[in-house]
Amino acid sequence: MEMTLRWYGKQFDSVTLEQIRQIPGVKGVITTLYDVPVGEVWTRERIRSMKEEVENAGLHVAGIESVNVHDAIKAATSERDFYIENYIKTLENLGKEDIHLVCYNFMPVFDWTRTELARKRPDGSTVLAYTKEAVDRINPEEMFQTIGSDTNGFVMPGWEPERMEKVKELFELYKGIDEEQLFENLKYFLTKIMDVCNQYDIKMAIHPDDPAWSVFGLPRIIINKENILRMMNMVDDVHNGVTFCSGSYGTNLENDLPDMIRSLKGRIHFAHVRNLKFNSPDDFEESAHLSSDGSFDMYAIMKALYEIGFEGPIRPDHGRMIWGEKAMPGYGLYDRALGAAYLNGIWEAIEKGEKK
């Protein structure tokens, strides 16, 4: 296991590489070229420049999150082969620059959905939160406007203003596409890219849908054990793997997180480990990583990862806004640093306990 932190680049992130380097146990970052439009090729020059910046700070690039998949690919329009070729060129350039992990998602329209970006908790911290009641009364075309004032001035991944301006068009694009068709479109995409993944040993790690159910009638497929095993089997290649995100799969309380981990041995290439606090099955909020602060047994999750021999990058996920910090909601320094230290402590305890 390698502890990492997500970093969006100095133009977009309030957290610096120098600060990340000071978090005990964190040696690498999961990063991206945030300013490259979806569907354009990432050049070797841009990738190399990003790598050098990270390495000059005493860290290394442990993986990419995300090389986003164009909607033409997800919706299987006439342009999908063009954008798949661009995606293949990007993967080839990443491989040539010795980067071998890509996290991506296959969610229509919204990469993730929350109804609040700054819900205040009893301790005074603020967190991302979701309530079904709020979703039911929101017009999806106006969703960004309802929460946009809580971004602290940062551009949220998947909620870029230029994308939100096209929400109505995006809903029209996915009209008539159900779960079965989305699975077929994903299979087509994965089949096309597996050759380059095998050539450069690039592990594709699909991120689960968040939350793990249909929102606004849009199809969601990466939501549970049955569906993720189906995806593994339909393109049965070790490079077709998953990002195990406890917070995303955990939005559905029927998902047994440790059991899911054990069922995916050898195919979990990346892990996001975070906690959620459920107030009801339809109302949840982010919490501190500590087990007792939320609804998940973080020890059991980490132990399952240890037992399957997980050796890939792991990162603390969405943190609370604490100690007056102003940052991209969920992606401040302080609470994620606490999360990294906590998860490292659990791993050390498990490791030493197993060796006795």
Side-chain angles (χ1 to χ4, degrees):
M1 182 274 287
E2 177 191 9
M3 187 60 64
T4 64
L5 210 72
R6 190 174 188 180
W7 184 65
Y8 288 94
K10 64 184 177 184
Q11 289 178 282
F12 306 101
D13 208 314
S14 62
V15 181
T16 68
L17 290 171
E18 290 72 23
Q19 289 170 325
I20 294 172
R21 183 67 183 87
Q22 294 171 32
I23 303 171
V26 174
K27 306 297 183 187
V29 295
I30 302 294
T31 189
T32 188
L33 295 180
Y34 200 32
D35 59 336
V36 177
V38 177
E40 288 193 10
V41 176
W42 292 20
T43 66
R44 285 192 69 180
E45 291 73 23
R46 284 296 312 276
I47 296 167
R48 188 180 304 120
S49 176
M50 173 262 290
K51 270 191 68 180
E52 289 173 352
E53 182 180 11
V54 171
E55 289 169 357
N56 288 340
L59 296 160
H60 78 104
V61 176
I64 299 296
E65 184 181 352
S66 302
V67 180
N68 289 319
V69 179
H70 196 277
D71 288 293
I73 299 172
K74 296 179 186 178
T77 73
S78 60
E79 297 180 300
R80 72 170 167 180
D81 286 333
F82 169 80
Y83 286 110
I84 288 173
E85 283 304 311
N86 281 0
Y87 205 99
I88 288 170
K89 290 172 186 174
T90 293
L91 293 177
E92 186 176 48
N93 288 338
L94 287 168
K96 288 177 178 177
E97 293 299 324
D98 200 28
I99 295 174
H100 303 284
L101 171 70
V102 172
C103 173
Y104 71 104
N105 75 70
F106 219 74
M107 288 181 256
V109 185
F110 300 110
D111 280 5
W112 50 272
T113 307
R114 293 291 184 273
T115 53
E116 299 167 69
L117 300 183
R119 178 185 287 183
K120 195 165 186 177
R121 303 191 77 216
D123 62 6
S125 63
T126 59
V127 294
L128 308 175
Y130 177 101
T131 61
K132 184 178 182 300
E133 180 185 6
V135 167
D136 289 345
R137 66 170 183 260
I138 291 175
N139 179 338
E141 295 175 29
E142 301 171 353
M143 188 160 182
F144 180 74
Q145 285 73 22
T146 67
I147 62 174
S149 61
D150 291 330
T151 65
N152 294 327
F154 291 86
V155 177
M156 298 291 291
W159 291 76
E160 295 81 5
E162 61 271 18
R163 181 174 177 79
M164 292 301 100
E165 288 171 5
K166 300 177 181 178
V167 165
K168 188 173 183 179
E169 296 172 36
L170 288 170
F171 268 88
E172 191 64 29
L173 181 66
Y174 288 98
K175 196 172 182 180
I177 295 178
D178 59 13
E179 284 80 5
E180 286 301 313
Q181 185 60 57
L182 196 60
F183 259 119
E184 283 302 311
N185 298 347
L186 175 58
K187 181 179 181 180
Y188 185 92
F189 167 67
L190 288 170
T191 301
K192 290 284 188 178
I193 67 171
M194 276 300 108
D195 282 349
V196 73
C197 291
N198 279 285
Q199 183 180 353
Y200 290 98
D201 190 26
I202 295 175
K203 295 179 173 67
M204 297 297 295
I206 195 167
H207 190 283
D209 299 348
D210 190 356
W213 54 74
S214 174
V215 179
F216 303 125
L218 294 165
R220 295 290 181 103
I221 56 175
I222 309 302
I223 57 173
N224 55 29
K225 179 179 175 179
E226 178 185 1
N227 284 21
I228 198 67
L229 290 176
R230 174 182 174 180
M231 194 204 93
M232 297 295 98
N233 291 329
M234 74 185 190
V235 181
D236 193 10
D237 188 303
V238 70
H239 295 98
N240 173 30
V242 304
T243 295
F244 192 87
C245 178
S246 62
S248 296
Y249 283 126
T251 56
N252 183 345
L253 289 170
E254 293 181 6
N255 283 335
D256 182 333
L257 301 179
D259 174 68
M260 290 180 73
I261 291 169
R262 292 185 179 97
S263 73
L264 294 167
K265 183 176 181 179
R267 301 292 280 272
I268 298 177
H269 299 321
F270 181 30
H272 296 174
V273 181
R274 61 181 166 93
N275 206 350
L276 293 178
K277 173 70 175 178
F278 280 84
N279 301 304
S280 77
D282 294 329
D283 181 328
F284 64 81
E285 60 194 48
E286 314 286 0
S287 68
H289 287 73
L290 186 72
S291 294
S292 61
D293 196 56
S295 301
F296 301 159
D297 185 338
M298 305 300 279
Y299 175 86
I301 290 168
M302 293 293 282
K303 193 168 191 297
L305 286 168
Y306 180 88
E307 287 174 351
I308 66 167
F310 175 72
E311 295 180 342
I314 188 172
R315 70 171 178 83
D317 209 355
H318 307 163
R320 303 166 299 150
M321 288 294 106
I322 61 173
W323 303 337
E325 184 177 21
K326 293 292 182 184
M328 184 189 296
Y331 288 99
L333 170 66
Y334 305 144
D335 202 44
R336 287 190 300 153
L338 292 175
Y342 173 65
L343 296 176
N344 267 329
I346 292 177
W347 191 269
E348 180 181 351
I350 293 168
E351 197 170 44
K352 290 181 174 177
E354 291 294 318
K355 288 178 180 177
K356 283 186 177 179

